[in-house]
Amino acid sequence: VQLQASGGGLVQTGGSLRLSCAASGRTPFSSVAAGWFRQAPGKEREFVAAVSWSGGNTFYADSVKGRFTISRDNAKNTVYLAMNRLKAEDTAVYYCAAGSVYYSRSPPRPGDYDYWGQGTQVTVSS
């Protein structure tokens, strides 16, 4: 599975952005779970959100719960991350990821995913 993330940019505090992650390759997109991670300068990559194979189940980091929404459109081979009420601390490079397991009981680690996109920069100005 190859992943291509897009949609990042510069936004003011309180604003919104929607990230997209387009998948391609031989593996049917509907057979992989997907997620978003982010990495701020000098910090480790951290989990943001995960979605199950069909899109019927989602899981969020506490820091984004209620503000971010992850979804997917398997017909378009795309995963989305809608980000609302953005804060300065949301500034990071955002990465989409995919793998065979959907994690819902505890935040997954980067090593739990098999495929990664290249990242898209999100900058929230205060």
Side-chain angles (χ1 to χ4, degrees):
V1 177
Q2 288 79 50
L3 302 173
Q4 179 77 32
S6 62
L10 174 64
V11 63
Q12 291 186 333
T13 299
S16 299
L17 280 176
R18 190 177 80 156
L19 306 183
S20 299
C21 177
S24 61
R26 292 186 174 182
T27 301
F29 186 56
S30 59
S31 69
V32 295
W36 288 92
F37 285 73
R38 66 186 181 186
Q39 188 166 17
K43 295 188 177 181
E44 294 185 351
R45 192 169 297 190
E46 65 173 4
F47 167 74
V48 174
V51 63
S52 60
W53 308 269
S54 67
N57 297 96
T58 57
F59 181 59
Y60 297 93
D62 288 342
S63 59
V64 306
K65 201 173 297 182
R67 300 188 297 121
F68 291 11
T69 302
I70 188 171
S71 61
R72 65 189 295 164
D73 185 339
N74 286 341
K76 296 182 178 180
N77 291 345
T78 302
V79 178
Y80 304 98
L81 184 69
M83 306 184 293
N84 298 310
R85 304 200 310 275
L86 283 161
K87 305 175 182 180
E89 51 262 44
D90 295 319
T91 295
V93 177
Y94 282 70
Y95 298 89
C96 58
S100 58
V101 180
Y102 167 63
Y103 297 89
S104 63
R105 295 190 176 186
S106 61
R109 298 163 296 181
D112 292 327
Y113 287 86
D114 303 311
Y115 310 101
W116 288 88
Q118 86 288 2
T120 184
Q121 176 72 46
V122 172
T123 303
V124 184
S125 64
S126 56

